[in-house]
Each structure stands twice: as structure tokens, then as C-alpha cells.
Amino acid sequence: MTYYDQLQAQLNLWQITLSRWNAEELYSISWWSLIGVMVIAYAIWWKIVDKKSLRNILLFGSFIAVANTVFDSTIITMGLWGYKTKLIPTIPSTFPFDYTVIPLLAMTIYQFFPTWDKFFVGIAIVKAIFVFGVIPLLVHFQIMALHGVNLFFVYAGMVAIPTAAKFVIDLVIHKEHATEMKEPTRSLSSLSPIPAKRPGEDH
């Protein structure tokens, strides 16, 4: 198969996806449910987030969103699961929770459980609830479809992503603080003493 054959197949798939999305998914109860959950999640998160640490928390959340979207896209591309209800008709159609609810939950845990032991326990519990509780519900309500995916593999990946994110962000923060501590010392050492003038030297 040439590149142009693949492109034509992709265009055909896009037409099918768009047609189904317009006819069956857009403005459906499941579609509105996704919108509602995301809006509520953002409202709650904004209410409880520590605004003073917002930059670091958002940096952590951005890492989660990107990594989780890649993880989800890989599973979709492998044909191991898919979404019957899509927020927008993209190919592959990643789940909107990848860049909304999932990062928001992770950011909340990151904020309230800063130590490694509590953070890991919190992530492990939340991800277990999502993988073994929420995903089956999404399948039941015809939002998601599983095609032989190993949920224990998914669980391991979803725990590994925020764990790696915390390691990286904590390392960045540590380096940043170390640099800030060195800067005043450098500034003071660069100052040269100015000799005092005797009375009357200005005239």
C-alpha cells in the first residue's frame, strides 16, 4: 500500500467517523454527559486548587495530559479499545477525560499529598477506581468499548504516568530553588567596594 492509498483510506474513515458523529453522537445524552462532567470537574478543581502554587501544579497537570493522551492514542491505534461517544470527531479519537478529569484528579492529589508515600497511595487508589470502576461504567453506558485490552496493563500505565510526572516536576523545582539560592551569592561577590570620599573632595 502506498502513502496515497493510506491517505485515501484515512479520508474514507474520516467521512465515516464524521457522518456517525453527526448522526448518533453529537448532542446525545452521552455527549452532554461528557460536557457536564468536565465542566463540574473544572469548577470543583478551581475552587480547591492552591492558587499560590498554580504554576507548578499546572506544569504537573500538563505533563499528565500529554502523556495520558499519548498512552490513550497508542491503545486506540492498536485496536484494544475505542470510544463510541466522542466529544469531537478526531482520528484517533482520544477521550476528553485524558486532558480534563484525569489531570485534574492527579493535580489534586499532587497538591494535597506532597510526600512520596502519600502521593503514591493516593494515585494508586484513584487510578484503581478509574480503571476497574469508571471504565466498566463507560462501557456499560455505551461511551467506551473494550477489545481485549488488559486492564491491569492500563492500570500500571496510569500509575506510572503521574509517578514519572511528579519525579520530573519535583526535580525541576529543586533545580530552580538551587539556582535561586546561588544567585544572591553571585550578586554579592560581584560587587566591588567603593572607597569613601574625604570631606571636601566633591568640591
Side-chain angles (χ1 to χ4, degrees):
M1 177 180 287
T2 66
Y3 166 79
Y4 294 101
D5 292 333
Q6 184 179 1
L7 178 61
Q8 186 59 51
Q10 185 175 343
L11 291 174
N12 293 338
L13 179 59
W14 159 248
Q15 292 297 329
I16 295 171
T17 301
L18 182 61
S19 176
R20 184 184 186 280
W21 185 75
N22 280 319
E24 301 181 22
E25 301 174 36
L26 183 61
Y27 304 134
S28 65
I29 295 177
S30 298
W31 189 87
W32 282 113
S33 297
L34 293 177
I35 296 290
V37 170
M38 288 189 296
V39 170
I40 293 171
Y42 268 112
I44 295 175
W45 175 78
W46 185 251
K47 190 77 174 177
I48 64 176
V49 68
D50 181 8
K51 308 300 190 299
K52 295 180 181 179
S53 304
L54 193 58
R55 186 188 65 169
N56 293 335
I57 294 173
L58 285 176
L59 184 61
F60 173 81
S62 299
F63 189 110
I64 298 291
V66 172
N68 216 79
T69 301
V70 172
F71 182 70
D72 190 13
S73 299
T74 302
I75 296 177
I76 294 172
T77 303
M78 294 171 65
L80 296 177
W81 71 24
Y83 300 106
K84 294 183 177 181
T85 302
K86 296 176 283 293
L87 193 63
I88 53 177
T90 57
I91 302 173
S93 178
T94 55
F95 199 41
F97 286 7
D98 289 340
Y99 39 87
T100 55
V101 176
I102 293 175
L104 293 177
L105 287 172
M107 286 189 287
T108 302
I109 295 172
Y110 181 76
Q111 173 183 328
F112 287 102
F113 302 102
T115 60
W116 267 106
D117 53 347
K118 293 181 179 179
F119 172 83
F120 189 80
V121 170
I123 285 294
I125 293 174
V126 169
K127 296 303 181 181
I129 294 172
F130 183 83
V131 173
F132 302 110
V134 175
I135 287 181
L137 283 177
L138 295 174
V139 173
H140 176 75
F141 289 110
Q142 299 294 307
I143 296 175
M144 190 174 184
L146 305 182
H147 307 294
V149 65
N150 187 331
L151 289 182
F152 288 97
F153 166 77
V154 174
Y155 175 71
M158 286 194 167
V159 170
I161 289 172
T163 302
K166 178 174 171 57
F167 175 81
V168 172
I169 302 306
D170 284 358
L171 183 62
V172 170
I173 294 173
H174 175 74
K175 293 292 185 182
E176 184 180 40
H177 288 171
T179 302
E180 290 175 353
M181 292 295 292
K182 291 178 181 178
E183 284 180 353
T185 304
R186 291 177 181 174
S187 299
L188 290 174
S189 62
S190 63
L191 295 176
S192 56
I194 301 176
K197 295 182 179 180
R198 296 179 180 179
E201 285 185 349
D202 292 335
H203 302 288

